[in-house]
Amino acid sequence: MSASQTLGGPSRCGRVLGPSLDKIIKNAAWRKHSHVVSSCKSTLEKLDTLSDTGLSDPKSTLLGISSSDADFVLKPILLALDSKYAKVAEPALECTFKLFSLGIVRGEIDSNKSNPILYKIVESVCKVGGIGEEPVELAVLRVLLTAVRCPCVLIRGDCLLLVVKTCYNVYLGSLSGTIQACAKSVLAQIMLIVFTRAEEDSMDVSIKAVSVNELLEFTDKNLNEGSSLYNCQNFVSEVMNASEGVPDLKLSQPITVHDLRNGESKLSKGEQNEEVEEEEMKEGAESGSAVVSSEIREDGFHVFKNLCKLSMKFSSQENPDDQILLRGKTLSLELLKVIMDKGGPIWGTNERQVILY
């Protein structure tokens, strides 16, 4: 067996991490990134000693790896992303994409308190887009869409809003028409994922890839030139299809969900009553998924609410013709239209949603 096949040890996680860590070591500037190189080497040594555990650790963020080892083996990926150096960040982004698309990453990612290492990785992915290089921007969009699409991960709350904000910034800040088209398509796809799950009140739903041609038909005709449309459609379809390879893993690992502490809940009184009725109908093992479902719909509402706020922003007196603000407002309205066109009866009849309309 060749060295590349054994790099990272026998575990499934190690087979993904190993080649990426090796590439980070080779691409790093030894003096400037000595801490990154050291962490990668230590992790490679650790991975050689690890094999997939027979029973999954429900507290672990990585499939087949114990919770005590998971944070350690993910640390070099976080350090590589934080380096803000494209040659080091790119293999880390590729590795993160594979971890999400293969269903190796598990759990809920909400805030720095709920799942520190995974939140920090997503946060670092969002920040590394600021390098401004096109390959890095595309890789960031790819990772963020994969993370939201992953059936084994629930990205919600502050983390979900951070993902949406980052895609907005890439769309508004990139000088490349292809990158702008991809960012807009990724945002539309994220909306479909979030609101399809909210409509079904479930993580386990079938989601189609957006039609880039329809999305760019009117306001972004200038982006619909040459092979940009074709490349953008392939980009989105590739990411969506990548996560389809783990259907047997969907929700097989318990998703860490915040308990409703001290009887407090973010849900309205009517929604709480609905949850009580559902719990009366279902046995104890399913009661946990009811909490997950309520949070899925709550996130959909908050995303919708933030899009409405962005669409109503006014320019300042100092800069009344702010073109970036105008483009942002237009994008928000287009995404709201995507939600309303694709949304089901829940989003047309829910009292909280109707008020926002």
Side-chain angles (χ1 to χ4, degrees):
M1 188 176 289
S2 66
S4 62
Q5 288 176 301
T6 60
L7 202 59
S11 69
R12 187 181 182 189
C13 178
R15 291 195 295 271
V16 173
L17 283 167
S20 297
L21 297 180
D22 184 58
K23 193 170 183 179
I24 290 171
I25 292 172
K26 292 176 179 177
N27 291 353
W30 283 69
R31 290 184 179 179
K32 186 177 181 180
H33 306 121
S34 58
H35 63 299
V36 179
V37 173
S38 176
S39 180
C40 287
K41 288 183 175 181
S42 298
T43 300
L44 283 172
E45 292 176 2
K46 181 68 174 179
L47 288 170
D48 284 337
T49 67
L50 300 177
S51 57
D52 289 322
T53 56
L55 296 175
S56 296
D57 183 349
K59 295 182 180 180
S60 177
T61 54
L62 295 175
L63 180 67
I65 302 294
S66 68
S67 56
S68 59
D69 293 323
D71 284 11
F72 181 82
V73 300
L74 285 175
K75 184 180 177 181
I77 298 299
L78 180 60
L79 292 176
L81 291 170
D82 287 342
S83 71
K84 303 294 191 301
Y85 183 58
K87 287 186 178 181
V88 171
E90 284 180 4
L93 288 167
E94 177 65 21
C95 181
T96 307
F97 166 75
K98 290 179 179 178
L99 290 173
F100 279 113
S101 64
L102 295 174
I104 295 174
V105 175
R106 330 287 291 171
E108 176 192 350
I109 312 176
D110 181 353
S111 65
N112 196 22
K113 294 180 179 179
S114 66
N115 203 326
I117 187 66
L118 290 185
Y119 181 84
K120 287 177 181 177
I121 286 177
V122 174
E123 184 180 43
S124 294
V125 168
C126 293
K127 289 179 179 178
V128 82
I131 290 178
E133 297 187 15
E134 289 186 18
V136 175
E137 289 176 331
L138 272 178
V140 167
L141 293 172
R142 187 169 174 241
V143 170
L144 295 181
L145 178 54
T146 307
V148 175
R149 174 69 184 95
C150 180
C152 310
V153 173
L154 176 60
I155 291 186
R156 63 176 312 272
D158 293 340
C159 191
L160 179 59
L161 295 179
L162 176 62
V163 168
V164 172
K165 179 182 177 180
T166 301
C167 295
Y168 255 86
N169 290 340
V170 173
Y171 173 78
L172 296 174
S174 178
L175 300 176
S176 165
T178 300
I179 300 293
Q180 291 177 37
C182 286
K184 184 175 182 178
S185 301
V186 165
L187 277 167
Q189 189 68 68
I190 289 175
M191 294 305 113
L192 285 184
I193 294 169
V194 170
F195 287 91
T196 300
R197 286 174 175 171
E199 185 68 36
E200 297 297 328
D201 216 1
S202 171
M203 287 282 288
D204 190 4
V205 295
S206 176
I207 303 168
K208 295 181 180 180
V210 296
S211 171
V212 177
N213 188 33
E214 293 178 6
L215 195 63
L216 304 181
E217 186 175 1
F218 299 108
T219 59
D220 283 320
K221 284 185 178 180
N222 60 313
L223 303 181
N224 187 5
E225 297 177 355
S227 59
S228 294
L229 180 65
Y230 177 79
N231 292 337
C232 188
Q233 186 66 68
N234 283 347
F235 176 81
V236 173
S237 298
E238 176 197 349
V239 175
M240 292 299 292
N241 293 334
S243 292
E244 291 297 332
V246 288
D248 56 318
L249 297 177
K250 290 180 180 178
L251 299 180
S252 61
Q253 179 89 350
I255 290 182
T256 306
V257 179
H258 295 305
D259 295 325
L260 302 179
R261 296 181 179 88
N262 301 322
E264 295 179 357
S265 172
K266 297 179 182 178
L267 305 179
S268 65
K269 185 175 180 180
E271 287 172 317
Q272 289 178 13
N273 291 337
E274 290 177 4
E275 293 301 323
V276 170
E277 292 175 3
E278 287 181 9
E279 289 178 4
E280 289 175 350
M281 294 171 63
K282 298 180 181 180
E283 295 300 325
E286 296 182 348
S287 63
S289 64
V291 180
V292 177
S293 299
S294 68
E295 291 187 343
I296 290 172
R297 285 190 172 171
E298 192 71 11
D299 285 332
F301 171 77
H302 284 301
V303 169
F304 191 92
K305 183 178 180 180
N306 275 273
L307 287 177
C308 290
K309 287 182 177 180
L310 287 170
S311 70
M312 295 185 290
K313 271 193 170 183
F314 293 98
S315 57
S316 63
Q317 292 181 350
E318 294 79 12
N319 190 9
D321 298 321
D322 189 340
Q323 291 302 306
I324 292 180
L325 177 62
L326 180 60
R327 289 179 62 221
K329 291 175 67 172
T330 303
L331 176 59
S332 300
L333 290 170
E334 289 176 318
L335 293 176
L336 288 169
K337 186 177 185 300
V338 169
I339 295 168
M340 291 186 283
D341 287 346
K342 304 294 183 181
I346 290 293
W347 301 103
T349 58
N350 183 279
E351 183 178 349
R352 298 169 74 193
Q353 201 80 2
V354 170
I355 290 173
L356 287 176
Y357 283 167

